[in-house]
Amino acid sequence: MSRTVTVGLDDSPESRAAAEWAAREALLRGLPLKLVHVQEPTPTYVARTPLLDLDGYRHWAQQLTHESADGIRLRHPGIEVTTEQLTGTVADILCEAAGYADLLVLGSRGFGGLGGFMVGSVSLGVVARAERPVVLVRAQEQAADEHRMDPAGVPSAAAPFRPVVLGLDIDHPDDTLLEFAFDAAARRKAALRAVHAWPEPPTSFYRFTGDAELYDTLERGQASLLSKALRPWRQKFPDVEVIEASRCGSAAQVLVNDSRDASLVVVGRRIRTGAFGVHIGHVTHSALHHITAPVAVVAHS
C-alpha cells in the first residue's frame, strides 16, 4: 500500500477546506497528498444529448485538480502532491481510495451559525463503509481554529494546538482507535482528552437513601476503568499529556460538550454489517452532526 493522505475533491467550499486540512495533516505525517476527483458515469441516453459537453466537463475537472494541487504546493512548500481523476459512483470510488491511504479526508457542509455538520449522503456512506480512518472537515475550518490563542488573545496557527479529544468506550477499548488518537496528539504536541460517559444510576430518579454513596462508588469505579484502559498507551506515548474525563450522562452529549475546544475529535466505528446494512453508531453519528472541529472516524473490529 502506498501511504498517502487522500482527499476527495470537488469545487465546493467544504472540499477546499478539506484539502487544506489534508495538506496540513500530510505535513504532520510526512506523507504525500493525493487529490481525487470522481466523475459519476453519465447514462448513455444523457451522454447523447447535444447540450451536454462532456469534453468541457473533463477539461474543467482536470483544471480544478491541477489548480488545487498548484495552490497547495505554493501554500505548503515541500509537500508532494499528486492528482487523480476517476469515474464511477462517488461513494464507491472514495471507499476504494480510502483502502489505499493512511486516511481519507472529506468535506462536510456546515450549519453556519448553529455550528456542526450537515453530513451529505456521500460522506455518510463513505464513513459507514470505509475500513480506514475518514476525517470530515467543515467548510469554515481554518488552520488557526485548531490552535490556542496567542499571547495577545488572537487565534494563531503559530500557537500550540488545542487538545485532541477521544471518545472512548471502556467496555470495548480498541487498540486501533487508541493508537490513532495518541499518535494524532503526539504529532501535534497536544494534550489528549479521553472522554468516557457512564449512565446515571437508576435509583437516582427516585432519590433513595444511599444514592450519594452509590454515585460516588460508580464514579470512582468508572474513572478507574478509564485509567486502566489508557495506562499502556500512556507508557507507549510518554510525552503526551493525557486528560482523563469520566463523566455521568449521555455518551453523545458528553462527547459533544467536551469537544468544544478540540483541534481534532476521534471516534470509533465498529466494522459490522447486519440485515439492514452498515452502521456507524449513535455516538459517532451525533459527533458527525454536532461537533464543529474536524472529526476522525476510525473503523475497528
Side-chain angles (χ1 to χ4, degrees), residues 2-257:
S2 176
R3 299 184 62 201
T4 64
V5 173
T6 298
V7 59
L9 183 69
D10 57 32
D11 195 30
S12 64
E14 54 269 22
S15 173
R16 290 192 289 271
E20 287 297 317
W21 188 93
R24 299 193 297 272
E25 185 68 15
L27 286 170
L28 282 174
R29 291 171 175 261
L31 293 176
L33 175 68
K34 178 185 285 188
L35 308 179
V36 175
H37 175 77
V38 183
Q39 178 186 353
E40 289 274 6
T42 306
T44 302
Y45 71 91
V46 175
R48 292 173 179 169
T49 302
L51 296 179
L52 184 64
D53 184 3
L54 288 177
D55 289 338
Y57 176 84
R58 293 189 188 98
H59 175 73
W60 170 84
Q62 186 177 50
Q63 185 176 24
L64 169 69
T65 54
H66 287 173
E67 289 181 353
S68 298
D70 289 342
I72 287 172
R73 293 186 188 103
L74 182 65
R75 292 184 294 274
H76 305 277
I79 188 171
E80 179 187 343
V81 184
T82 60
T83 65
E84 191 169 17
Q85 296 179 32
L86 302 170
T87 301
T89 304
V90 176
D92 292 345
I93 296 297
L94 290 176
C95 281
E96 185 178 346
Y100 295 97
D102 260 34
L103 73 161
L104 175 70
V105 185
L106 302 175
S108 185
R109 292 172 291 161
F111 279 133
L114 298 177
F117 288 114
M118 182 164 61
V119 184
S121 59
V122 170
S123 296
L124 201 59
V126 174
V127 166
R129 293 163 50 198
E131 297 191 3
R132 298 290 299 161
V134 179
V135 179
L136 293 189
V137 179
R138 62 188 172 91
Q140 295 84 7
E141 175 69 18
Q142 300 288 330
D145 296 336
E146 302 169 27
H147 296 259
R148 300 185 184 278
M149 299 288 188
D150 68 10
V154 177
S156 170
F161 275 94
R162 296 178 183 272
V164 172
V165 174
L166 166 65
L168 185 63
D169 178 2
I170 60 172
D171 292 330
H172 306 282
D174 182 82
D175 287 350
T176 302
L177 178 65
L178 283 157
E179 183 170 24
F180 184 97
F182 270 87
D183 180 71
R187 291 181 187 280
R188 289 164 172 75
K189 296 181 173 58
L192 175 67
R193 182 183 300 142
V195 179
H196 160 64
W198 48 278
E200 191 171 9
T203 59
S204 64
F205 294 106
Y206 303 99
R207 301 293 182 256
F208 289 156
T209 302
D211 275 357
E213 291 81 0
L214 174 61
Y215 184 94
D216 289 345
T217 299
L218 287 172
E219 186 176 40
R220 289 193 299 271
Q222 293 293 320
S224 177
L225 289 173
L226 177 59
S227 295
K228 181 179 179 181
L230 295 172
R231 190 172 299 124
W233 295 97
R234 282 178 175 271
Q235 295 170 354
K236 188 173 182 178
F237 292 87
D239 294 331
V240 173
E241 175 191 358
V242 180
I243 303 166
E244 299 182 10
S246 177
R247 311 199 192 284
C248 178
S250 158
Q253 191 59 56
V254 165
L255 180 60
V256 170
N257 290 342

